[in-house]
Amino acid sequence: MEILLRSCPNFTAKSPVKLGVDRHFASRTFAISNKSCNVKLRAISRSSEDGSSFVEDVKKNGVLLGAEMDESGSIVGFRLVPQSGDNEVSNTHDNVLDDKEEVIVDDELAKTIPTKVTYNIVFVTSEASPYSKTGGLGDVCGSLPIALAARGHRVMVVTPRYLSGGPADRKFDSAVDLDCRIKVSCSGGVQEVVFFHEYRAGVDWVFVDHPSFHRPGNPYGDSYGAFGDNQFRFTLLCHAACEAPLVLPLGGYTYGEKCLFLANDWHAGLVPVLLAAKYRPYGVYKDARSIVVIHNLAHQGVEPASTYNNFGLPPEWYGALGWVFPTWARTHALDTGEAVNILKGAIVTADRILTVSQGYSWEITTPEGGNGLDELLGSRKTVVNGITNGIDVTEWNPSLDEHIPSHYSLDDLSGKIECKIALQRELGLPIRPDCPLIGFIGRLDYQKGIDIILSGTPDLLQDDVQFIMLGSGEKQYEDWMRATEATFKDKFRGWVGFNVPISHRITAGCDILLMPSRFEPCGLNQLYAMRYGTVPVVHATGGLGDTVKTFNPFAEEGKGEGTGWAFKPLTRERMLDALWVAIETYRKHKTCWGGLMKRGMERDYSWDNAAVQYEQVFKWVFIDPPYVS
Ligand SMILES: Nc1ncnc2c1ncn2[C@@H]1O[C@H](COP(=O)(O)OP(=O)(O)O[C@H]2O[C@H](CO)[C@@H](O)[C@H](O)[C@H]2O)[C@@H](O)[C@H]1O
C-alpha cells in the first residue's frame, strides 16, 4: 500500500498564516469559588498571536502566581497557576489557597512522603458517559478522567453538547453556560462555539456547543446513516478543545499551556495536528504534549482530499493528513485514491500513541490489524504502548447495581439466579433456572463477529440452551435477529436497540457471555461479565485475549485456573466447540463453574492499575521534547 507521507515530523510553518481564534468573554468577573480564596479575575481577551506571554508567572514563596493583564498590558489581578508536570499539585479546585493562609512545610514529612508529579490533562472525545455513549469510548472517557482526578491530576474532558430533542438531553441539565464564545475559522466560514461546564467527581466536564450538535439521532448519525458533516462537527470539537485550556477560567483559573492532551480516536485526531500547525508557530503550547489514544483503528475519519481546506490548517500541512488509497480500493478508473485521513494526521504529529490493551498495541503494527496504518504505526513503535482499560466499578457492581432486580456478591450469589429468572420473565422466555443462558451485547457489525454468530446459531439452538442478543447496527443483522426470534420462540430473544439498563440485566442474568469479535482493541463487556460472575467465551484477539484466561481444570493442584474460554482461530466450529465445553461445564461440573465465577468476580477491574500505567506514560511524554516543534 502506498502511503502518502509528505509530512515531516519536524515541520514548522514557514510563513505564518493568521490562524487566530477570536475569543470573547461576556464582561463578567469570575470569582474563585474555593472556600477561602476571594481573588477576582478580570475577563481576558487575546488572540493567539500573543501566545504564551499573556501571563507573567512569578515563583513566590513556593506558590506560582500568575499576573492577569488586560490588553494594554496593565496588571488587573493575580491567579494561582498550577503547572502541569510540577511536583505537588493537589486536587484542582481545592488547590486554591487562601491568600492569607500560611503554608507550613513539615520538613520531616516532606522527606518521607515521595512527591507526586501531577498533570493538567485535557481529554478530547466524541463521547463521555453518562452524557453521551454509543459504546466503549463513552465508558472509558466517562470513568478514566475521574480516576486520574482522584489521583491528584487536574482533569478536563472536552466533548460535544449533543441535544437530540429527547429525554437524554436532561443529562446536560447541570452544565452551565460559561458565557465564553470563540470563533473558529473552518469550512470556509467562521463558526461561533460556546462552552458549557459542569464540575463533577473532581473533573471539569466541558461541553462544546454548536448548532451542528443539536439534532435527532446518536452522536454520529441517525436511521439514515452517518451524518454527512461529521468531519466538520469534529473539526469544530478539536479547535474548541485546543482553545479551552487557554480561555476557560475553570474554578477560577485556566489550565494554561503546559497541559497534556489525550486525543481519543479520529474525532479528536486533529488536536495534535493543530498544536503543531496552528499554535506552536506562534509560540503557544510549546510545553504542551499530546497522546493519541486509539480505541478503534477501523475508524479513521477519511474524506476526499478536496475537504482538506475545511480543517482550518495551513496549506503546507496537507502532507500530515494526505492519504492515498491502494489501487484495489479505488472506485473507478479516474479515482486517484487521494484522501485526507485524520487519524493518520494524529499518528504523525502526536507525541505518543496509546491503545487500550497490549495485545492490540502489537496487532495494529501488523498488516492484519493495522487497517492500512500498520507501517506508519510500526515506524513509531518506540512510542506506542498498550494499557488495558479498567471499568467503572461503581456503575458495574452487582451488589449495588440500580438496574438489576436482585443484588449479589461473591459471598452470597443467590441474587444471581433471581436475576436470571427475572430476565427470562422480562423477555418472555420459559423460566428455567437450570437451562444454560447465553448472552451477547454489542454493535451488530463486522468487528463483533456477528456473521459467525449468525452461522453458528442454528446449531447452537439444537441444544437445550437459551440465547439473548442485545444490539443495533447493520439492518441485515437486526432483521436476522427478529427472524431468529420468530423461529426459535422458546430459545432466542433478539433485542434490537441501545438500552443500558437491559445491558446490565443481561450481564447479571446470563451464565455465559459470548464475544466472537473479529478484532477487539480491549472490550469491556467481558470485564463487566466477569465482575458479575458471568463466564465469557471469547475470540482470543486483542484485549479479549489479554483479559480472558481459558479454564484449565487441572491447574493449581486440581483447584483449576482461568476465567472463561478464549478460542482461536475465529471460525464457526471453534466458537461452537468453546461454547459446548462451557455449556457442559455449567451443566455437569458445578464446582468447576463456581470456581470460574469466583475467579472472575475476584479480579481487580478498577481503573487504579491502569491509571498508574497512564501516569508512567505521562512521565515519558514530558521527558522528550515535542515530537513536532
Ligand atoms: N445495544 C446496546 N445497549 C446498551 N449498551 C450497549 C449496547 N451495545 C453496546 N453497549 C455497551 O457499549 C459498550 C461497548 O464497549 P466495547 O468495549 O465492548 O466496544 P466498542 O467497540 O464500542 O468500543 C471500542 O472502545 C472500547 C474502549 O476502549 C474498547 O474496549 C473496544 O474494544 C473498542 O472496540 C459497553 O458498555 C456495552 O455494554
Side-chain angles (χ1 to χ4, degrees):
M1 172 181 300
E2 185 192 353
I3 296 171
L4 189 71
L5 220 182
R6 272 187 273 137
S7 69
C8 161
N10 292 318
F11 185 104
T12 311
K14 285 199 188 95
S15 50
V17 185
K18 187 176 184 304
L19 294 160
V21 171
D22 293 330
R23 296 151 187 155
H24 163 75
F25 278 94
S27 57
R28 78 177 198 199
T29 55
F30 294 87
I32 293 176
S33 58
N34 191 268
K35 50 188 178 339
S36 53
C37 188
N38 56 7
V39 178
K40 296 228 171 177
L41 295 179
R42 271 277 299 273
I44 47 171
S45 167
R46 65 193 181 90
S47 68
S48 61
E49 280 88 343
D50 58 4
S52 56
S53 60
F54 79 111
V55 170
E56 183 194 349
D57 294 332
V58 267
K59 252 197 169 143
K60 198 178 171 190
N61 295 332
V63 179
L64 281 170
L65 294 180
E68 290 284 350
M69 286 179 271
D70 66 11
E71 275 158 319
S72 68
S74 313
I75 292 177
V76 292
F78 290 95
R79 65 195 174 99
L80 293 162
V81 184
Q83 292 291 299
S84 190
D86 286 350
N87 285 343
E88 197 273 308
V89 181
S90 63
N91 198 352
T92 319
H93 292 189
D94 294 330
N95 195 34
V96 185
L97 296 170
D98 188 321
D99 46 1
K100 295 194 197 91
E101 220 170 62
E102 201 183 341
V103 180
I104 302 164
V105 179
D106 181 331
D107 285 343
E108 280 310 302
L109 205 62
K111 269 185 220 152
T112 51
I113 300 174
T115 48
K116 183 170 183 288
V117 179
T118 58
Y119 301 93
N120 287 355
I121 301 163
V122 182
F123 277 80
V124 188
T125 176
S126 58
E127 44 183 290
S129 174
Y131 307 100
S132 53
K133 166 174 161 174
T134 68
L137 175 64
D139 285 339
V140 171
C141 291
S143 52
L144 174 58
I146 295 173
L148 289 169
R151 296 177 65 79
H153 304 285
R154 192 177 186 204
V155 187
M156 177 197 304
V157 178
V158 186
T159 190
R161 183 169 175 263
Y162 301 109
L163 298 180
S164 60
D169 296 356
R170 305 225 54 175
K171 292 177 180 156
F172 295 97
D173 275 359
S174 309
V176 296
D177 185 344
L178 287 175
D179 258 350
C180 174
R181 345 187 96 66
I182 58 165
K183 289 200 163 67
V184 174
S185 298
C186 66
S187 300
V190 177
Q191 302 293 328
E192 186 173 85
V193 168
V194 178
F195 292 100
F196 282 66
H197 173 248
E198 178 182 0
Y199 183 67
R200 181 180 61 79
V203 173
D204 289 304
W205 303 91
V206 171
F207 304 107
V208 175
D209 196 55
H210 182 271
S212 66
F213 296 128
H214 304 171
R215 60 177 66 151
N218 73 30
Y220 314 111
D222 57 18
S223 53
Y224 299 102
F227 296 133
D229 58 351
N230 278 343
Q231 185 198 59
F232 165 74
R233 297 163 79 228
F234 296 116
T235 295
L236 276 184
L237 171 68
C238 292
H239 277 273
C242 289
E243 286 294 301
L246 303 176
V247 303
L248 299 180
L250 303 172
Y253 48 93
T254 65
Y255 274 54
E257 292 181 35
K258 193 176 177 186
C259 56
L260 171 61
F261 287 92
L262 292 187
N264 292 275
D265 277 350
W266 78 262
H267 322 97
L270 269 191
V271 167
V273 187
L274 288 169
L275 296 183
K278 177 178 165 184
Y279 290 91
R280 291 205 179 112
Y282 300 93
V284 183
Y285 280 136
K286 283 196 171 309
D287 292 327
R289 297 290 188 279
S290 61
I291 299 175
V292 57
V293 187
I294 300 175
H295 299 261
N296 196 334
L297 194 60
H299 304 282
Q300 300 177 2
V302 179
E303 296 280 351
S306 56
T307 63
Y308 177 78
N309 293 336
N310 295 341
F311 293 130
L313 288 167
E316 60 270 32
W317 276 83
Y318 177 83
L321 290 107
W323 172 259
V324 181
F325 277 104
T327 318
W328 60 262
R330 299 180 195 172
T331 47
H332 52 81
L334 298 179
D335 183 355
T336 59
E338 287 177 80
V340 284
N341 180 328
I342 294 180
L343 194 60
K344 181 224 158 183
I347 290 166
V348 300
T349 52
D351 296 299
R352 295 194 75 92
I353 298 158
L354 266 175
T355 66
V356 288
S357 70
Q358 285 193 355
Y360 192 60
S361 72
W362 173 77
E363 286 174 10
I364 60 173
T365 63
T366 67
E368 294 77 24
N371 290 87
L373 292 173
D374 42 297
E375 284 182 28
L376 201 53
L377 285 160
S379 74
R380 297 212 64 198
K381 69 172 176 237
T382 53
V383 293
V384 177
N385 293 101
I387 301 176
T388 303
N389 287 330
I391 62 172
D392 182 339
V393 288
T394 315
E395 189 199 340
W396 292 91
N397 180 353
S399 58
L400 293 171
D401 191 328
E402 58 175 346
H403 301 302
I404 63 176
S406 300
H407 293 145
Y408 60 94
S409 66
L410 200 49
D411 299 329
D412 179 6
L413 282 166
S414 55
K416 184 160 173 69
I417 199 83
E418 288 170 28
C419 288
K420 179 173 180 177
I421 292 168
L423 182 65
Q424 289 170 328
R425 183 177 296 119
E426 180 177 0
L427 299 184
L429 283 167
I431 296 174
R432 296 184 51 208
D434 288 335
C435 179
L437 182 54
I438 303 161
F440 169 90
I441 301 164
R443 272 194 320 279
L444 304 178
D445 67 12
Y446 178 78
Q447 176 190 347
K448 303 295 177 184
I450 306 299
D451 51 325
I452 306 288
I453 296 185
L454 193 141
S455 68
T457 298
D459 271 358
L460 175 66
L461 295 182
Q462 296 304 311
D463 202 345
D464 182 22
V465 298
Q466 294 178 346
F467 185 18
I468 298 170
M469 289 182 68
L470 165 67
S472 58
E474 288 181 33
K475 189 172 174 308
Q476 51 165 332
Y477 297 136
E478 294 183 353
D479 291 345
W480 169 82
M481 268 166 49
R482 292 189 187 100
T484 308
E485 181 171 317
T487 313
F488 297 94
K489 281 197 187 63
D490 286 350
K491 292 189 169 183
F492 184 89
R493 282 293 172 275
W495 181 293
V496 177
F498 193 91
N499 189 314
V500 171
I502 297 277
S503 76
H504 282 243
R505 291 201 278 279
I506 291 176
T507 306
C510 286
D511 303 300
I512 295 168
L513 187 89
L514 177 62
M515 287 184 79
S517 304
R518 192 159 268 104
F519 66 94
E520 197 59 83
C522 176
L524 297 173
N525 286 316
Q526 84 281 10
L527 304 179
Y528 300 147
M530 289 188 280
R531 184 159 162 78
Y532 278 62
T534 302
V535 176
V537 174
V538 305
H539 174 215
T541 182
L544 295 176
D546 287 0
T547 56
V548 178
K549 197 162 191 281
T550 292
F551 175 54
N552 173 0
F554 308 111
E556 300 282 329
E557 293 170 353
K559 287 193 217 107
E561 69 175 14
T563 54
W565 281 268
F567 64 87
K568 73 177 176 195
L570 179 64
T571 60
R572 169 185 171 280
E573 289 70 28
R574 285 298 173 97
M575 178 187 79
L576 289 174
D577 285 349
L579 277 172
W580 276 320
V581 176
I583 291 164
E584 286 296 284
T585 308
Y586 171 82
R587 283 195 187 118
K588 297 183 181 153
H589 305 280
K590 291 288 179 199
T591 316
C592 290
W593 195 261
L596 275 160
M597 290 171 70
K598 181 167 175 285
R599 285 188 292 276
M601 293 179 83
E602 271 171 353
R603 274 184 47 170
D604 177 9
Y605 299 101
S606 69
W607 272 105
D608 296 344
N609 189 16
V612 172
Q613 296 175 58
Y614 268 84
E615 284 171 345
Q616 179 60 62
V617 175
F618 298 166
K619 267 186 212 159
W620 290 335
V621 79
F622 277 103
I623 289 172
D624 295 325
Y627 183 57
V628 185
S629 52

